[in-house]
Amino acid sequence: MDDLARCFERVILVDMVHLRPARRAARRYANVTLQVSDLSGCADWLRGERERCADPVSQFDRDDIDFVVSANCLSQLPILPLDWFESRNRLPPVELGRSIVARHLEGLSRLRARVCLIADTEQVTDNREGHVVEQFDLLHGIHLPDPDRSWIWEIAPFGEAGRHRRERHRVQAYLDWRL
């Protein structure tokens, strides 16, 4: 956050919920604000206030925004809407997860601002022998083009996910995202 606050006149951190560490960190900077927003676009639809999920990215297509970072949220956006259906013992619409991911990517592509996209694309759980135990497509069937950068993020090392298991995410980064 130090770098962002130093490099930009105004920094807006957008999330559905800003946890205490983020709120505390933001208070240290006069040019950093927190904005609560449902980037899945589905909260109003799930409450019965809309006929379909909205396009939440369009609110950021403004002349006063020149740089957008979508950091590790793409794979997270479908989680709460899908959990909402599961908590009510209902099946979600078949393409819900995929459509949320696709809508976010399309929205980012439409922005006039430069967009840096950092996205977890796959979760792999393997054992100490190196055998894959589970593998999940975190983008619900959406395949991204070749990234500018990619890496493996060990999100739960051996001992945390289980004594003989670890979980890793493949992360892809795009310095100037466009579909």
Side-chain angles (χ1 to χ4, degrees), residues 122-127 129-136 168:
E122 176 184 49
Q123 179 174 309
V124 174
T125 303
D126 57 0
N127 61 24
E129 290 77 39
H131 297 102
V132 174
V133 178
E134 293 176 315
Q135 197 165 355
F136 296 105
R168 299 176 297 148

Side-chain angles (χ1 to χ4, degrees), residues 69-75 101 105 108 115-123 136-139 142-153 168-177 179:
V69 178
S70 175
N72 299 95
C73 75
L74 184 62
S75 63
V101 169
L105 292 172
L108 293 176
V115 175
C116 173
L117 172 65
I118 304 167
D120 303 47
T121 60
E122 176 184 49
Q123 179 174 309
F136 296 105
D137 171 10
L138 298 174
L139 300 185
I142 300 286
H143 298 283
L144 300 178
D146 291 339
D148 295 310
R149 309 270 192 288
S150 67
W151 60 91
I152 301 298
W153 175 21
R168 299 176 297 148
H169 282 191
R170 175 171 307 285
V171 181
Q172 295 183 199
Y174 302 84
L175 304 177
D176 192 6
W177 171 257
L179 275 178

